[in-house]
Amino acid sequence: MLLSLSTDIVWTTLSEHQFNTVAYGKVFGNKGDVVILAGEDGVVRVYEKPTTTKKEITLKPVRSLETKCGPALHVLLRDLTRLSPCDMLVGDARGSVVLFCDGQILDRRGTFSGKSSRITALSAQETSLGKVNIILGRDDGEIICFNTFTQLWKLRLSDVSKQSRDALVSVTCLLPVSVVTSWSNGKAEDYVLVADSQSCLHVLQDGEILSSIQLPSTAHCMCAGSFLLHEDTNPNKKMLTQIALGCIDGSIWICVDFCLSNASPYTEIGHPVTQLRCVPTKHNYTHNSPVGNGENNVVDILVCGGHFSSLKLLQHGKILHTVPLPSWPVTLCGLHDYKGDKLLSNDDRMILVGCQDSTLHLVSIT
């Protein structure tokens, strides 16, 4: 069953500074949520959350943070130090990672191998023991896992590549995720999925590569959700985790049990896909309702961006809705990305979209 969707641009603004990524949420000691833009000049700018009903707005600055590094590419908001409500981690184009605590630089890590290499992915994984580990990937193929002050493990993809050791293998994207598989007895287990420039998807656990999957094209983005219907309608059986892979050839594939679910892609967009976000549906969170039966035959919405001037909202492999944009979307941030609770709220259906022309848009999906 396809959902009836509508979208609205809640507000839009033009940034005075070119930015690469956007984040949203509480940071440091701020009581309210803020909008964060990280720029080409290495400065991270914090703005008040807009509350106006106007469509075109001007963001009100709160503060600026100097990373004193290269262009900022990634911003991550998590409580890493337990010293303030929420810390900020920034990754840049020269391989540096800067940890801000309460507005001050607490730690800076330079290039891990002694030479500059762009950070291509930066994410956090909360372990079953409640610890938060940071996972980063770089364009020289290094993957590093560390916590606040300690490096936990490191590996280089060129050392495990089946192709020539001389070939450059870059990390294109990664996803720390808790996965329910057909052999896990309904229990979720922690993994890190890493895609590389040789069109491989590597499954890592505790720093070890368990398996590698050859993809039809190089994946540049991933997200987890429920995108395909399950044949098993037993309400007591936990749904298997599905991973959507957005590829450079414009295809989107779904991975289940660390295998591609079909011989054909979930959909073909026709242009490189660089951004994916899952928008959950309430049907998938009704505990007593079987999946794939009657009105509950609903899967999550997949929001897709890339080398095209729009967002595409997908369900069951079909484009339900298109949100026109002034230029290519270079960064997406769900307002719920940094929330700790698991309950559905209005934030689940709000996405900040940063475009190549330095415009920022808040998109509401209803």
Side-chain angles (χ1 to χ4, degrees), residues 29-336:
N30 291 22
K31 294 182 179 180
D33 293 326
V34 294
V35 175
I36 299 168
L37 301 179
E40 277 291 305
D41 56 3
V43 178
V44 179
R45 296 176 172 86
V46 182
Y47 300 91
E48 291 182 9
K49 171 188 175 182
T51 56
T52 178
T53 57
K54 295 180 180 179
K55 290 292 185 180
E56 295 188 8
I57 66 166
T58 300
L59 292 176
K60 296 181 180 180
V62 175
R63 68 191 306 174
S64 295
L65 302 170
E66 295 276 355
T67 63
K68 300 179 181 178
C69 295
L73 302 179
H74 309 274
V75 171
L76 189 62
L77 305 181
R78 292 298 292 262
D79 181 9
L80 301 176
T81 63
R82 309 300 184 189
L83 299 175
S84 66
C86 190
D87 305 308
M88 179 191 295
L89 200 68
V90 181
D92 79 348
R94 299 174 185 169
S96 296
V97 180
V98 180
L99 173 60
F100 287 92
C101 178
D102 200 22
Q104 303 296 321
I105 294 179
L106 180 64
D107 188 30
R108 178 186 284 112
R109 294 167 181 256
T111 54
F112 289 79
S113 60
K115 53 185 179 180
S116 177
S117 184
R118 183 170 59 96
I119 294 177
T120 54
L122 182 68
S123 192
Q125 184 171 50
E126 187 167 346
T127 68
S128 57
L129 298 177
K131 296 182 179 180
V132 178
N133 296 332
I134 305 301
I135 317 287
L136 69 83
R138 308 194 316 168
D139 62 4
D140 64 357
E142 269 196 343
I143 308 163
I144 302 105
C145 175
F146 60 96
N147 56 27
T148 308
F149 298 108
T150 306
Q151 181 173 296
L152 302 176
W153 54 261
K154 178 178 71 172
L155 64 85
R156 187 183 293 272
L157 290 179
S158 59
D159 295 337
V160 298
S161 173
K162 295 180 180 180
Q163 300 187 27
S164 170
R165 294 289 179 91
D166 296 329
L168 177 64
V169 186
S170 301
V171 174
T172 55
C173 61
L174 61 80
L175 179 69
V177 63
S178 293
V179 177
V180 178
T181 60
S182 59
W183 57 84
S184 63
N185 297 320
K187 296 181 179 180
E189 297 182 353
D190 293 334
Y191 296 91
V192 178
L193 305 182
V194 179
D196 70 19
S197 56
Q198 294 183 343
S199 300
C200 281
L201 179 66
H202 305 281
V203 181
L204 278 67
Q205 193 173 51
D206 297 326
E208 299 290 335
I209 295 181
L210 303 183
S211 63
S212 297
I213 308 161
Q214 189 65 44
L215 302 176
S217 178
T218 300
H220 275 249
C221 51
M222 292 185 270
C223 70
S226 179
F227 310 110
L228 299 174
L229 294 176
H230 295 261
E231 295 181 0
D232 192 336
T233 60
N234 180 0
N236 297 318
K237 186 170 183 179
K238 197 166 184 179
M239 290 188 298
L240 303 183
T241 306
Q242 301 176 3
I243 308 298
L245 304 164
C247 296
I248 200 67
D249 69 349
S251 62
I252 298 176
W253 296 79
I254 305 298
C255 180
V256 183
D257 274 349
F258 305 134
C259 296
L260 296 184
S261 59
N262 293 302
S264 57
Y266 173 77
T267 194
E268 295 270 11
I269 298 298
H271 302 278
V273 177
T274 58
Q275 307 286 334
L276 287 177
R277 284 295 184 280
C278 173
V279 175
T281 58
K282 292 182 180 179
H283 298 73
N284 288 335
Y285 296 85
T286 303
H287 297 295
N288 296 322
S289 300
V291 177
N293 185 18
E295 292 185 352
N296 295 312
N297 194 4
V298 178
V299 295
D300 291 332
I301 301 162
L302 187 61
V303 180
C304 167
H307 293 186
F308 43 92
S309 299
S310 65
L311 284 185
K312 299 185 186 299
L313 277 57
L314 311 170
Q315 194 184 45
H316 297 292
K318 301 181 183 299
I319 298 176
L320 297 185
H321 197 78
T322 298
V323 182
L325 296 170
S327 61
W328 293 357
V330 295
T331 178
L332 300 185
C333 173
L335 296 200
H336 203 73

Side-chain angles (χ1 to χ4, degrees), residues 14-20 37-41 43 45 47 64 358-359:
L14 174 64
S15 172
E16 297 179 355
H17 308 276
Q18 186 178 359
F19 58 86
N20 296 315
L37 301 179
E40 277 291 305
D41 56 3
V43 178
R45 296 176 172 86
Y47 300 91
S64 295
S358 298
T359 58

